[in-house]
Amino acid sequence: MSEEHELDLVVTSHRQIADQVAQLVLQRPDGGELPKWTPGAHLDLIMEPGLVRQYSLCGEPTDLTRYKIAVLREPKSRGGSRYVHDHLSDGAVVHMRGPRNHFELDPSPRYLFIGGGIGVTPLVPMVAQAVADGADVRIEYGGRSRGSMAYLHELESEYPDRLTVHPQDEVGMIDLDSVLKVPQPDTLIYCCGPEALLQAVEERCSAWPDGALHLERFAPKELGDPIRTESFDVVLERTGKTVTVPPDKSVLEMLDEAGVFTVSSCQEGTCGTCEAVVLEGEVDHRDSLLSPAEQAANDVMYPCVSRAKSARLILDL
């Protein structure tokens, strides 16, 4: 797991860049250099006690004087996007944790980027990196309307021959059947957006090579019941403690009850903050981060949601 950084940042710019989308520029109060990041990374913003949200970095990874995020004001906000829009004005100070990247841009000669709405934010620096590396790049970008689509003008200006725009009120949804019908060799797909888009892309990529599709989710995907309905033990290798996890509690909850501090954030398997290394045992992976191949490797788990298939897990904690 990459090193975690925590520091206060000051908002040096807050402006509307699309309908209900605010862009924030964040810098250190002393103007110093920020932790390094790579395309696909996100930050935890800790805005007030109990209010922690993850936002993708969408600026220039080479410019470590500032971080840039873009946040959609959600109509049914649970508090995060509303706080960003209403309270994080110029001069406001907010605590951050990260950056963290579970959506890394893997090397490839060809990429297909599919963005839906605010899901374009992690793709913006990815596209720039892929183009700079000389890859063949296609971008399919959909949104409710042109006015709601963040960074549309920049993408149209910089990549006019690589970008196809799908404003829903003009042309309807992205024609995924056409875009994904024929698997393309040596092509990686990166997609971020609402869950309906991600599910539709997953379905249409079933015939593509394993590992071709990379997704980032805003919300956890729906899962059935856990595989193991009985309690199981979690052995903590570093401390020698053994924690029993009952059916109605998460591994993370039981770690907390045992006094084992584990950094966590989303509590729903989407941010990756609580990643734990698995030394022994079979994991019932219930996160929305790891690919099927990564889950099959069985070397890390997210104890906020994932459980055990076996009677015992040994974690590097």
Side-chain angles (χ1 to χ4, degrees), residues 181 183 202-209:
K181 183 177 182 180
E202 280 185 308
E203 290 170 5
R204 288 159 177 81
C205 284
S206 59
W208 284 65

Side-chain angles (χ1 to χ4, degrees), residues 226-238:
I227 293 174
R228 184 181 185 84
T229 57
E230 307 93 340
S231 298
F232 57 92
D233 289 336
V234 175
V235 179
L236 311 180
E237 178 73 10
R238 296 186 209 170

Side-chain angles (χ1 to χ4, degrees), residues 18-40:
D19 182 26
Q20 300 298 309
V21 179
Q23 175 186 277
L24 274 63
V25 176
L26 306 165
Q27 297 181 269
R28 288 179 55 149
D30 62 4
E33 191 169 276
L34 294 160
K36 294 179 180 178
W37 63 282
T38 53

Side-chain angles (χ1 to χ4, degrees), residues 11-55:
V11 179
T12 57
S13 173
H14 176 136
R15 67 184 183 91
Q16 296 294 307
I17 59 169
D19 182 26
Q20 300 298 309
V21 179
Q23 175 186 277
L24 274 63
V25 176
L26 306 165
Q27 297 181 269
R28 288 179 55 149
D30 62 4
E33 191 169 276
L34 294 160
K36 294 179 180 178
W37 63 282
T38 53
H42 67 258
L43 294 177
D44 290 350
L45 287 193
I46 306 164
M47 293 169 275
E48 56 184 23
L51 187 58
V52 183
R53 296 291 184 270
Q54 293 74 43
Y55 298 110

Side-chain angles (χ1 to χ4, degrees), residues 111-177:
Y111 296 94
L112 170 59
F113 295 99
I114 303 174
I118 198 64
V120 77
T121 51
L123 305 183
V124 170
M126 287 183 165
V127 169
Q129 182 65 59
V131 171
D133 290 344
D136 179 7
V137 172
R138 290 172 52 212
I139 312 158
E140 305 285 341
Y141 182 14
R144 290 180 289 105
S145 65
R146 288 180 178 271
S148 72
M149 298 169 72
Y151 302 113
L152 177 59
H153 175 71
E154 291 87 341
L155 291 170
E156 286 182 320
S157 298
E158 296 177 31
Y159 315 109
D161 299 328
R162 306 173 189 260
L163 173 69
T164 304
V165 183
H166 306 266
Q168 192 172 339
D169 61 348
E170 297 178 23
V171 299
M173 310 284 276
I174 300 173
D175 185 356
L176 295 175
D177 289 326

